[in-house]
Amino acid sequence: MNREGEQMRHIISIGDFDRKEIDALLDHARQIDQKKYDKNILYGKILATLFFEPSTRTRMSFESAMARLGGTSLSVGSVEACSMAKGETLADTIRVVSGYADAIVIRHPKEGAARLAAEFAKVPVINAGDGAGQHPSQTLLDLYTIRQSMPIDKIDVALIGDLRYGRTAHSLASALSLYNARLHTISPKGLELPATLAAELREKGMEIVEHDDIKEVICDVDVLYVTRIQRERFPDSASYFNVTSSYRITPDLLAGAKKHLIILHPLPRVDEIDPRIDELPYARYFEQSRNGVPVRMAMLMRVMQ
Amino acid sequence: MKKTENAENEGLLVRRIRNGTVIDHIDGGEALNVVKILGITGTTQEALSIATNVPSRNMGCKDIVKLTNRELSKEEVDRIALISPRATINIIRNFKVCEKKGVEIPTLIVGLVKCPNPGCISNTNEPIRSKFEVLPKGLHCTYCDWVITKDLTSHII
């Protein structure tokens, strides 16, 4: 509900969805993938994309999704070019943009920014990432990609990389708890899954196993979800390279992996996955990125119809 | 003689007020935090008496806060529950206790606690007040999902 008491369908956090709603949205995305949708269903509708942080995939796939449904998109261009650079509050920006569009997609560096936007907006808001917080559209497309290869129920998923600041890992872990998945975490010291999140997931009955080395678990997992370790988390380049080299996925590492293992990555990758992996049947990250379009089409239809 | 001395001392600690609010049974040592929660500073107008660590039969020791000429609202009363759930509120009119009530833990607290997450949107210049849900595990920021599990009083605005 916004400040004027109007009820709207926002998508802010994966935690706002129950399993039934997630499954319904993924089913819808599959129908869209099979071309079973009305190409003009959002004709005449306008989507505003407000990206206060860099983005390639998320922004382009939302714009592509909107175009494929017959609608159009507006954006502010770079952050430097918009009124926020003059000191305008996000609340004011949202009030103004609400008058120009039928829905708003927002990415912002502050956690909770999308929740604030939903309070002030007169149109539905979709969160496209708020700081280290939530990124629900990424989680939905991650789940969609897993479901293309296997049922999500009771699978073993390894999260590797920066699990402390990586919002995609947090959101995915929360969603997987609805499917009784077992989580394996492998992360450098200081970049572990936040203790509060781990405690919350365990409370929901999720089994979380921490590992020091990916080799300990590679033979047991169904999904390997790799995230980027950012250089700025380390005091100097030497310690960064030291750590990243031991978290790099190479073809040798995959010896003994399950046949149906899939490797996902929210992208962009830097050195975390050896390019030779791209040619192996395990690699699904480009497919995952492509899946952003049907999943976001389903999301846009959910909020705008 | 001893009796009179005691009575005089008690009189100093718990002098009666004509009109206002007496907050009794505050957990020992929490009175100053209660005053902080109520937004009372040295520059506000209320006549204020605070007694701390007063012996109490049921609580061991307790604090008491007396506010002259101010009756607390329900929202203010319930905020006190966050740090002292056993507190009781007595509304005094013309030296008599006119209303006596306990405190109830609120489900949502607005504008009282600062989110400890420096990256939270509620810590910026946006025209909003902090908002926390009161959950069994702690206070949950409805903006950034941070949960305050301990040392709540140090986060009071």
Side-chain angles (χ1 to χ4, degrees):
Chain A
M1 200 179 288
N2 71 4
R3 297 210 152 200
E4 286 156 34
E6 293 161 325
Q7 196 78 49
M8 265 165 299
R9 286 192 129 181
H10 305 291
I11 298 179
I12 307 298
S13 161
I14 198 73
D16 299 339
F17 285 78
D18 59 25
R19 181 175 163 164
K20 214 171 144 192
E21 288 173 307
I22 293 177
D23 286 339
L25 196 136
L26 300 184
D27 287 344
H28 189 195
R30 194 178 48 197
Q31 281 181 356
I32 291 169
D33 233 352
Q34 293 163 347
K35 311 284 179 221
K36 293 179 194 158
Y37 68 95
D38 176 354
K39 291 185 177 62
N40 285 310
I41 199 151
L42 296 184
Y43 176 78
K45 300 272 188 193
I46 298 172
L47 177 71
T49 55
L50 293 180
F51 279 69
F52 300 104
E53 270 190 333
S55 163
T56 307
R57 280 152 297 278
T58 307
R59 182 179 183 152
M60 286 187 72
S61 60
F62 265 115
E63 289 174 355
S64 165
M66 194 61 184
R68 287 182 192 280
L69 294 169
T72 50
S73 306
L74 291 177
S75 75
V76 286
S78 68
V79 179
E80 296 76 30
C82 77
S83 295
M84 293 286 276
K86 298 176 189 165
E88 187 180 51
T89 61
L90 177 62
D92 280 3
T93 305
I94 293 295
R95 282 174 172 136
V96 170
V97 174
S98 281
Y100 303 157
D102 300 291
I104 296 171
V105 173
I106 180 171
R107 171 171 289 184
H108 195 277
K110 290 287 179 186
E111 288 162 55
R115 193 75 72 190
L116 174 140
E119 271 182 36
F120 286 90
K122 290 181 78 69
V123 295
V125 172
I126 298 177
N127 186 5
D130 55 347
Q134 293 287 327
H135 194 353
S137 65
Q138 179 70 45
T139 305
L140 290 165
L141 74 89
D142 293 343
L143 294 174
Y144 183 77
T145 311
I146 296 172
R147 226 175 66 157
Q148 281 181 323
S149 300
M150 65 193 88
I152 309 175
D153 268 295
K154 295 181 183 165
I155 53 172
D156 281 82
V157 179
L159 300 179
I160 180 166
D162 177 357
L163 308 185
R164 180 170 179 192
Y165 299 100
R167 60 188 167 206
T168 56
H170 300 172
S171 290
L172 180 61
S174 298
L176 286 171
S177 71
L178 301 173
Y179 292 87
N180 305 313
R182 191 183 337 184
L183 209 60
H184 303 267
T185 62
I186 307 106
S187 56
K189 208 172 170 2
L191 297 180
E192 297 94 349
L193 206 62
T196 46
L197 176 62
E200 197 180 302
L201 295 173
R202 286 192 171 113
E203 227 171 76
K204 288 181 186 167
M206 192 177 213
E207 190 182 341
I208 306 176
V209 193
E210 290 168 33
H211 303 271
D212 294 325
D213 195 326
I214 182 70
K215 287 176 195 151
E216 287 172 23
V217 74
I218 193 67
C219 300
D220 302 323
V221 296
D222 305 296
V223 177
L224 183 57
Y225 194 89
V226 188
T227 63
R228 188 160 53 99
I229 298 172
Q230 292 177 36
R231 192 181 294 230
E232 56 267 32
R233 308 287 180 217
F234 292 86
D236 52 67
S237 298
S239 48
Y240 166 75
F241 285 116
N242 235 344
V243 165
T244 48
S245 60
S246 54
Y247 287 83
R248 186 174 155 86
I249 309 299
T250 58
D252 307 340
L253 200 69
L254 300 175
K258 285 182 180 175
K259 240 183 180 174
H260 66 261
L261 168 77
I262 60 169
I263 301 174
L264 304 181
H265 190 305
L267 303 181
R269 69 169 156 174
V270 184
D271 293 319
E272 316 75 86
I273 300 178
D274 188 314
R276 287 174 295 167
I277 300 275
D278 301 354
E279 309 307 323
L280 302 179
Y282 305 123
R284 293 295 162 84
Y285 28 91
F286 293 117
E287 176 71 9
Q288 180 188 2
S289 177
R290 189 211 70 90
N291 287 341
V293 177
V295 168
R296 289 178 173 123
M297 286 166 78
M299 292 171 76
L300 290 172
M301 284 162 78
R302 179 184 157 95
V303 301
M304 274 194 270
Q305 273 193 303
Chain B
M1 191 66 179
K2 250 185 178 174
K3 226 176 182 180
T4 323
E5 263 179 25
N6 278 345
E8 269 175 19
N9 285 339
E10 269 179 31
L12 283 173
L13 285 173
V14 289
R15 180 172 292 162
R16 294 166 70 204
I17 56 172
R18 181 186 289 274
N19 293 306
T21 306
V22 174
I23 309 163
D24 200 358
H25 302 109
I26 299 168
D27 292 352
E30 293 289 352
L32 293 175
N33 288 323
V34 166
V35 169
K36 196 174 171 190
I37 275 188
L38 296 175
I40 298 167
T41 65
T43 56
T44 48
Q45 296 298 313
E46 303 89 346
L48 175 72
S49 319
I50 299 176
T52 57
N53 296 317
V54 178
S56 159
R57 210 180 308 150
N58 293 334
M59 299 174 67
C61 74
K62 65 174 182 177
D63 290 2
I64 303 169
V65 170
K66 292 186 171 192
L67 281 170
T68 306
N69 297 330
R70 177 168 163 191
E71 292 187 10
L72 296 182
S73 67
K74 174 146 184 17
E75 194 206 350
E76 288 174 314
V77 167
D78 289 345
R79 286 174 169 200
I80 296 169
L82 290 173
I83 54 168
S84 197
R86 290 182 291 180
T88 52
I89 314 293
N90 301 294
I91 305 291
I92 313 291
R93 291 179 197 132
N94 204 19
F95 294 113
K96 284 194 177 142
V97 178
C98 288
E99 273 178 61
K100 200 175 176 82
K101 50 194 172 191
V103 293
E104 268 175 56
I105 295 176
T107 51
L108 190 72
I109 51 172
V110 180
L112 178 69
V113 175
K114 181 177 156 66
C115 182
N117 175 7
C120 178
I121 193 80
S122 69
N123 290 323
T124 61
N125 65 342
E126 295 296 332
I128 51 166
R129 296 198 292 163
S130 71
K131 217 181 282 173
F132 285 83
E133 277 179 293
V134 182
L135 302 177
K137 61 183 172 181
L139 298 184
H140 167 240
C141 174
T142 61
Y143 287 105
C144 75
D145 293 329
W146 191 284
V147 180
I148 303 176
T149 52
K150 54 187 173 189
D151 199 15
L152 164 65
T153 48
S154 68
H155 302 296
I156 291 171
I157 294 167

